[in-house]
Amino acid sequence: QDDMVTMVVSADEPVSFHLHGYDIEKEATPGEPATLEFTAAATGSFPFTIHVGEEEHTHEGEADACEPQLPPGAPTPEIRTTASPGNEPGEIDVAVEVENFVLSFASAGAELATGHWHLFVDDVLKGMYVQPEVTTAVSSPGEYQVMVGLSDIDHCDYGIDAMTTVVVQEG
């Protein structure tokens, strides 16, 4: 988190590539590598997709078309969260408990829904996780709204969320 990330993509044919979670998309062509630079605000694992060819690739409308599917007969997943001030100034410790859900970035072949959880602090995405406990940083003391939500392995939001607040003290 807060690191400057630079990715250079060279290609021997036209490609477009997309960094999910950050919603950054660029194109590279032979002899013209593409450079992707950003400050890592969110933590976690983010799929990087490359599309070969010159056909136009867009993500417009995906949020509307993105509908997570539960395995046949699977119970509805649940998520609960707790948040507390971390060990260091400006940190928040967040824990989640899930039911009827397998935390994994890859298909678990389970009879339960599979995916990860997104962490938002004051409506800002902080990361995507499969571990049940994480620490995130905030810029100043104050009260913060912490929201967590379940997504499938393709980043489709189940609309299953939990929310709490936490007060971060100075120093």
Side-chain angles (χ1 to χ4, degrees):
Q1 187 170 15
D2 298 325
D3 288 341
M4 176 56 83
V5 177
T6 302
M7 301 169 72
V8 178
V9 176
S10 298
D12 57 3
E13 61 184 301
V15 298
S16 65
F17 58 94
H18 182 100
L19 180 60
H20 295 266
Y22 280 90
D23 293 327
I24 299 172
E25 188 165 343
K26 296 269 186 164
E27 294 182 4
T29 58
E32 292 185 38
T35 301
L36 175 66
E37 292 183 325
F38 62 96
T39 300
T43 60
S45 296
F46 303 91
F48 186 77
T49 306
I50 295 178
H51 305 278
V52 178
E54 293 186 23
E55 68 273 2
E56 184 176 332
H57 173 77
T58 67
H59 290 271
E60 289 181 28
E62 276 190 8
D64 296 332
C66 192
E67 294 183 29
Q69 300 295 316
L70 292 175
T76 301
E78 295 179 28
I79 188 168
R80 289 177 295 286
T81 189
T82 58
S84 59
N87 292 330
E88 299 294 324
E91 288 184 344
I92 299 173
D93 291 334
V94 180
V96 298
E97 292 180 30
V98 296
E99 286 185 31
N100 306 320
F101 195 79
V102 177
L103 289 169
S104 176
F105 283 119
S107 176
E111 295 177 4
L112 299 175
T114 302
H116 57 278
W117 59 281
H118 291 185
L119 168 61
F120 295 87
V121 176
D122 286 348
D123 295 322
V124 174
L125 177 66
K126 291 295 216 168
M128 302 176 194
Y129 306 98
V130 293
Q131 62 270 34
E133 297 177 6
V134 300
T135 299
T136 191
V138 292
S139 60
S140 61
E143 183 174 282
Y144 291 90
Q145 180 184 56
V146 175
M147 187 181 86
V148 297
L150 294 176
S151 292
D152 70 9
I153 60 173
D154 293 321
H155 297 275
C156 296
D157 184 356
Y158 280 101
I160 299 170
D161 305 320
M163 196 176 316
T164 190
T165 58
V166 62
V167 175
V168 176
Q169 302 293 330
E170 191 163 344

